[in-house]
Amino acid sequence: MTSTSIRAEAAVRPEGTSGARTAFPAVAGLPAELRAEVVAVLEEQPRETRAVVRRLLGATVAALVSGDRRAWTSAREAEETIRAGSALAAAGVRPDPLLVLVGRLTAWAVERAAGAEPASAGRLKDVVRVGHAVTRGLAGGFHRHARSRAAAPLDGERLAAALLSGQRVPGAAASYQVLAVRCGHGVLDRLPALGGVALTRGCAGFLLVPEAGPGRGPELAAGLRAALPAAWVAPYWARTAEVPAAAATAADVVALAAGSGAPAGVHRLEDFAVEYAALRHPAIEAELRRLIEPVLAGPGLAGTLRAFVRADGNRTRAAAELIVHRSTLDYRLKRIAQLTGYDPVKPAGLQVLAIAMTTAHARTVRAQFAAVPDPR
């Protein structure tokens, strides 16, 4: 037995039975090509829809083989088909592969009935009607459930998650002021609404305020800052379809602010234009990461470089902040130059190293924001 046929036997067998023929005699009797298609459709199903799809396929093939459209179009069978479509919609699974498979099964059953002796026009019609009944019920159940979900109002967190994920939300505002927030200490349990909807995960979150024009960003950011003194905040206005991109931009600004060692507060994209361009360019960001990795791994070197950047290249101030002798600072700066090829004592070298350090730390903060729109 080939690996495909072994998988086919397993896929069409429900849990707790010993063989495919015990599960669906008609399915086990399908041609190998169709059995493989049944396997593919079943394997693509998530756990919550697999059983209902398996039952539907078994009943469909049995009805197609018998040509008994009256049994299939009974209230019970029709309800089972609609239930399968509804289950797919609830799980977020498109019905297209299953509908295509039902069409293929119907075509096979028609060809089979046409070749039977004696051939019967009435039987052929009944087979086609079974196929139509299944596809109609399946598609109807799916779209009915999808429409009911779309019509249901979303709570604040679900609305924010939908907008941040780029979903079309009925009744959404035309535009939003998107504010990215990261708390410096502990978990960000909640954000003050300020007339909008919020979503948080861990120490990061977003606040979306509807119909707040581009000029209201600083005002709303100041409101968040007042409520969360130890937070980095960045506002960005966008039309509804562009909310995901605006959220990504605002999150990157916060990530760069935190990564640069800037104090908590309200930050703007123009404050980190060069770093933002580097962070958004994968090849440049990767090269900067490779450049700074030896410094991050070296004992005391990362803290030394950060202090030297904060001191604008002033050795006396940096040594005082680090509470080390000037000679110790000079040794560490020389070691950084040896490891990276860029001399932090020179302005150009210090600028490159500062950007590399900032983007490296920003990647960690960026990952915290990336997890925010994920469903719980």
Side-chain angles (χ1 to χ4, degrees):
M1 182 179 287
T2 66
S3 60
T4 301
S5 60
I6 292 172
R7 286 168 56 233
E9 290 292 309
V12 298
R13 180 192 311 139
E15 292 87 346
T17 63
S18 58
R21 196 169 296 278
T22 305
F24 314 127
V27 172
L30 289 174
E33 183 180 352
L34 279 177
R35 284 206 311 273
E37 292 185 38
V38 170
V39 170
V41 168
L42 287 175
E43 287 184 343
E44 289 172 0
Q45 299 302 313
R47 188 176 188 86
E48 57 267 34
T49 64
R50 194 169 299 150
V52 69
V53 169
R54 185 187 287 117
R55 286 196 303 271
L56 176 68
L57 287 174
T60 298
V61 174
L64 287 170
V65 170
S66 68
D68 187 359
R69 69 178 177 87
R70 291 169 301 177
W72 183 261
T73 54
S74 68
R76 184 181 66 81
E77 297 292 2
E79 183 181 343
E80 182 72 19
T81 314
I82 293 171
R83 186 182 300 116
S86 180
L88 292 174
V93 179
R94 294 291 305 173
D96 308 59
L98 188 54
L99 290 170
V100 170
L101 176 58
V102 171
R104 294 264 294 131
L105 291 169
T106 303
W108 166 78
V110 167
E111 185 178 345
R112 182 176 181 274
E117 292 291 343
S120 167
R123 183 179 178 82
L124 286 173
K125 288 181 180 179
D126 284 347
V127 168
V128 172
R129 286 168 179 164
V130 168
H132 285 171
V134 175
T135 55
R136 192 165 51 245
L138 187 62
F142 178 88
H143 291 297
R144 185 183 306 171
H145 186 92
R147 283 195 300 270
S148 67
R149 287 185 66 184
L154 300 178
D155 61 32
E157 283 206 350
R158 288 175 58 212
L159 174 58
L163 291 168
L164 290 167
S165 300
Q167 300 176 30
R168 295 184 63 182
V169 180
S175 65
Y176 286 84
Q177 189 69 237
V178 181
L179 296 101
V181 188
R182 180 178 183 267
C183 186
H185 305 290
V187 175
L188 192 62
D189 292 325
R190 56 179 299 179
L191 290 174
L194 299 180
V197 292
L199 184 65
T200 64
R201 296 285 187 275
C203 61
F206 292 101
L207 173 65
L208 280 63
V209 181
E211 304 296 357
R216 285 200 61 201
E219 170 199 338
L220 293 168
L224 276 180
R225 178 85 173 92
L228 302 166
W232 289 265
V233 182
Y236 206 90
W237 178 86
R239 300 194 183 280
T240 301
E242 299 161 354
V243 162
T249 298
D252 280 352
V253 172
V254 168
L256 289 167
S260 70
V266 179
H267 298 276
R268 302 170 301 170
L269 177 58
E270 49 265 40
D271 298 332
F272 302 96
V274 176
E275 293 87 345
Y276 178 81
L279 188 65
R280 283 297 182 99
H281 195 294
I284 295 176
E285 192 271 335
E287 179 60 24
L288 290 172
R289 185 168 68 251
R290 182 200 61 77
L291 171 72
I292 204 67
E293 277 176 351
V295 176
L296 298 177
L301 297 184
T304 296
L305 179 58
R306 189 179 286 280
F308 197 56
V309 170
R310 279 196 296 267
D312 292 325
N314 185 298
R315 298 186 197 184
T316 301
R317 283 165 48 197
E321 179 183 332
L322 293 167
I323 316 177
V324 298
H325 195 274
R326 273 279 301 267
S327 61
T328 301
L329 176 67
D330 288 341
Y331 169 78
R332 292 178 183 175
L333 294 175
K334 184 177 180 180
R335 182 63 180 149
I336 291 170
Q338 292 171 342
L339 290 171
T340 64
Y342 288 88
D343 188 350
V345 175
K346 297 179 179 179
L350 183 60
Q351 183 179 28
V352 171
L353 291 169
I355 293 172
M357 176 78 78
T358 296
T359 54
H361 286 295
R363 288 182 73 248
T364 302
V365 180
R366 200 185 206 188
Q368 296 167 354
F369 278 104
V372 171
D374 290 346
R376 291 185 188 274

